[in-house]
């Protein structure tokens, strides 16, 4: 039912390489110059961590060949993380727009 675990492991490894380094750097104190404030960068980092949690929640139960109920529960929990990522990215957009308006103002 869950397919080949190697495919899920490859997808999780790709998500780890693509989604994890930037938020770890931002939460460790580095702020990219594209962000107008530290709060904007932190919200962006939390959004990326939510997307990484989504990837992990979808891959790990399938790699372990869990039952259909466990896979479904983890997928539902992943949707909650997806919603949290959208909320964090909306905050980034709102904070960035407010900062741009204040600067250009």
């Amino acid at each position: 039912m869950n397919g080949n675990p190697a495919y899920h492991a490859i997808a999780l490894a790709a998500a780890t390489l693509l989604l994890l380094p930037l938020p770890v750097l931002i939460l460790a104190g580095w702020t990219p110059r594209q962000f107008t404030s530290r709060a904007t960068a932190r919200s962006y980092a939390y959004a990326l961590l939510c997307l990484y949690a989504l990837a992990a929640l979808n891959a790990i139960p399938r790699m372990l060949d869990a039952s259909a109920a466990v896979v479904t529960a983890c997928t539902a929990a992943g949707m909650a993380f997806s919603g949290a990522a959208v909320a964090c990215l909306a905050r980034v957009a709102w904070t960035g727009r407010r900062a741009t308006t204040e600067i250009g103002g």
Side-chain angles (χ1 to χ4, degrees), residues 31 86 91:
T31 303
V86 168
R91 183 171 187 252

Side-chain angles (χ1 to χ4, degrees), residues 56-79:
L57 280 172
N58 279 317
I60 292 172
R62 289 175 172 88
M63 286 171 35
L64 298 175
D65 199 28
S67 68
V70 172
V71 171
T72 303
C74 288
T75 301
M79 295 308 290

